[in-house]
Amino acid sequence: MTPRQVAIVQDSFLKLVPISELVSDIFYDQLFLENPDLRPLFPTDMKVQKIKLMKALSAAVAHLHEIDVVVGSIRELGAKHKAYGVEDEHYDAVGAALIYTLKTALSEIWADELEEAWVKTYDLVATTMKEGVPDQ
């Protein structure tokens, strides 16, 4: 990622922090609307899960300029997700729900450049998570 892409992702994420509850609601509503088969992978009460989502996004975004600092944590997260039943194809569904969520929540500033930067961010995180899954 370019320094500009890192900067615009980090700047745009700051706009999400005050509305993090809404952001997580939009994300999971969209994910389950488009992929109802994924709902059983999650707890019935989503309150803690929604907080975890925003914390994970925050950590990844905060360290985009120094991603090596969080690679180990992201890989561990990938291993945990595999243990929960997450498969490689689920990452595409999550990425689509994330971009939909960001486009909705950041509609006033959303542009092609911001979308490209967020897609690259998600691809980086998803690829790193998959690297944490042991070969079977």
Side-chain angles (χ1 to χ4, degrees):
M1 293 184 65
T2 68
R4 170 138 177 87
Q5 288 172 322
V6 169
I8 65 174
V9 166
Q10 290 175 334
D11 289 346
S12 67
F13 188 78
L14 293 176
K15 296 178 185 328
L16 301 176
V17 172
I19 58 168
S20 62
E21 190 172 322
L22 174 63
V23 170
S24 61
D25 286 345
I26 294 169
F27 173 79
Y28 284 109
D29 288 350
Q30 181 66 17
L31 181 65
F32 299 148
L33 176 68
E34 295 294 326
N35 307 277
D37 56 310
L38 296 183
R39 184 62 184 96
L41 298 178
F42 292 88
T44 303
D45 183 352
M46 292 291 291
K47 186 176 182 175
V48 171
Q49 183 64 36
K50 290 176 179 183
I51 292 168
K52 287 180 179 180
L53 168 70
M54 295 309 295
K55 284 184 177 180
L57 276 173
S58 179
V61 168
H63 294 285
L64 273 179
H65 64 289
E66 54 181 4
I67 199 71
D68 292 344
V69 171
V70 291
V71 164
S73 297
I74 295 172
R75 286 181 179 153
E76 286 176 19
L77 189 60
K80 286 181 185 176
H81 278 72
K82 181 66 174 180
Y84 299 143
V86 173
E87 300 294 335
D88 280 355
E89 62 268 15
H90 296 153
Y91 285 90
D92 291 340
V94 169
L98 178 63
I99 297 304
Y100 172 87
T101 300
L102 296 168
K103 190 174 191 175
T104 301
L106 299 169
S107 61
E108 293 180 6
I109 63 166
W110 197 255
D112 290 344
E113 181 184 29
L114 185 55
E115 182 169 351
E116 181 182 342
W118 269 105
V119 166
K120 285 188 174 194
T121 298
Y122 179 73
D123 288 347
L124 175 62
V125 171
T127 299
T128 305
M129 286 179 71
K130 291 176 193 178
E131 290 171 357
V133 176
D135 292 333
Q136 296 182 1

